[in-house]
Amino acid sequence: LRLLDNSTNADDHQIDELPAGATLLRGQYRIEKYMVRGGFGITYLASDSLERQFVIKECFPGALCCRIDGKLQPLSSEWSAKYNAVLRHFLCEARRVAKLDHPNIVRVHQVFEENSTAYMAMEVVDGEDLLSIVEEAPERLTPAVLHQALRDALTAIIYIHDLGILHRDISPDNFLLGADNHLTLIDFGAARERAGRETRALSAMLAVKDGYSPHEFYLTDVEQTAASDLYSLGATFYHLVTGEAPPNSQERVAALAADQDDPYQPLSEGEWAGYDYNFLVSIDRALEVLPEIA
């Protein structure tokens, strides 16, 4: 995972984070610094007893819990069930992802429980996330680089789909691109293997990203399939080509339901010099908002 300076997300830096020097797993890991936090996790850079560096992700659903004397606890009794559900989900998926072995997927070194929550220790990947690159150095994302990146992303996603796993959080910030343009898929915090209605409700709470999420991610009574990840992948590469995310899937569904034109403008109908036509068509096909009638 990309190493961030301590100043990163300084406005978000709260006392909820473990301090530098804190230890985990009976002293096996020592926190070196806070890296970044999201709605359901805090990420740290850590070193182990052999001075090897790892990225550690802590299950921390900030809207549901707080840290007291180092341990997490629900904000109130009414949040206990949801907090425990998030924790079970984190552990289940972390253990599943730890079994993955693919050159384009981040490797999980260890999964453990402590401080009334759970942790994943992952390899450090030397790379920059695609969202940062498209915003700060878009010239690096040439057509040739993106053609290869899409092939690499598809091999990783096909691999997890063949194992019955959905990633559910595919977006530019969850791909890292190394100096050699090697692509790595990260952050499986919202992944799941199978979903009944209750699990889909939890999944919706875990990860919905406007612009990247298909419309079924907003609902609890619609099946999520491999096509759902492919929609998010298409949205990711649309952003990398155009510099912005595609229209929100909910807005697109609403427009179609009202007999209005889909606000999405197909890439294959535009002029994008250097891009293979089939590459552009593939993105358009992945972004069909109603794939069942595509």
Side-chain angles (χ1 to χ4, degrees):
L1 292 177
R2 182 167 61 101
L3 304 187
L4 305 181
D5 183 81
N6 282 324
S7 62
T8 302
N9 289 347
D11 291 340
D12 294 333
H13 198 75
Q14 305 293 329
I15 59 173
D16 286 333
E17 288 115 31
L18 292 171
T23 60
L24 296 169
L25 201 59
R26 299 175 298 282
Q28 182 172 337
Y29 297 103
R30 179 176 58 84
I31 300 298
E32 293 188 4
K33 67 177 181 179
Y34 157 84
M35 291 177 66
V36 68
R37 70 182 298 166
F40 289 84
I42 302 177
T43 304
Y44 309 90
L45 178 66
S47 58
D48 71 359
S49 56
L50 298 178
E51 297 302 319
R52 297 173 299 187
Q53 286 191 320
F54 293 91
V55 169
I56 291 185
K57 184 170 184 178
E58 177 183 48
C59 179
F60 192 105
L64 306 176
C65 69
C66 60
R67 194 189 306 275
I68 297 179
D69 294 329
K71 295 185 177 182
L72 270 59
Q73 66 177 47
L75 291 173
S76 66
S77 57
E78 66 180 296
W79 294 113
S80 292
K82 284 188 176 179
Y83 172 75
N84 290 330
V86 171
L87 182 56
R88 287 194 304 270
H89 176 93
F90 181 97
L91 278 167
C92 179
E93 302 310 330
R95 288 165 177 157
R96 183 171 293 118
V97 173
K99 299 176 182 178
L100 302 181
D101 184 14
H102 190 279
N104 298 107
I105 295 175
V106 66
R107 287 178 172 82
V108 175
H109 175 71
Q110 201 163 26
V111 179
F112 58 95
E113 296 180 68
E114 195 168 335
N115 297 330
S116 301
T117 187
Y119 298 86
M120 278 193 293
M122 298 169 285
E123 68 174 330
V124 174
V125 178
D126 184 14
E128 189 84 2
D129 70 81
L130 291 178
L131 182 60
S132 295
I133 294 175
V134 76
E135 291 177 348
E136 300 168 10
E139 67 281 358
R140 184 179 169 192
L141 299 177
T142 64
V145 167
L146 290 185
H147 288 159
Q148 183 58 50
L150 181 58
R151 286 191 287 268
D152 290 343
L154 284 169
T155 63
I157 291 168
I158 289 170
Y159 171 77
I160 64 171
H161 287 176
D162 285 346
L163 296 175
I165 298 172
L166 298 184
H167 186 281
R168 292 205 70 265
D169 196 14
I170 294 171
S171 58
D173 55 324
N174 281 336
F175 283 106
L176 300 183
L177 193 67
D180 59 353
N181 292 329
H182 180 81
L183 192 75
T184 304
L185 177 61
I186 65 171
D187 201 347
F188 281 72
R192 64 157 180 80
E193 181 171 298
R194 60 184 72 85
R197 179 171 302 209
E198 179 180 351
T199 308
R200 284 197 295 268
L202 175 60
S203 294
M205 181 174 67
L206 283 171
V208 173
K209 290 183 177 178
D210 290 338
Y212 306 105
S213 295
H215 69 85
E216 59 266 26
F217 280 9
Y218 295 84
L219 308 171
T220 60
D221 57 352
V222 176
E223 184 180 8
Q224 299 168 12
T225 68
S228 304
D229 273 349
L230 292 179
Y231 184 98
S232 298
L233 182 65
T236 292
F237 276 81
Y238 178 96
H239 187 166
L240 300 177
V241 171
T242 68
E244 59 184 21
N248 184 288
S249 62
Q250 295 295 84
E251 296 174 4
R252 297 179 62 194
V253 169
L256 292 172
D259 258 348
Q260 299 173 354
D261 290 338
D262 185 344
Y264 177 75
Q265 299 296 313
L267 291 181
S268 57
E269 296 179 6
E271 295 185 9
W272 303 99
Y275 288 100
D276 181 81
Y277 177 75
N278 289 330
F279 170 87
L280 299 175
V281 169
S282 296
I283 294 172
D284 290 338
R285 291 291 293 168
L287 281 168
E288 289 283 356
V289 74
L290 299 175
E292 67 274 12
I293 61 173

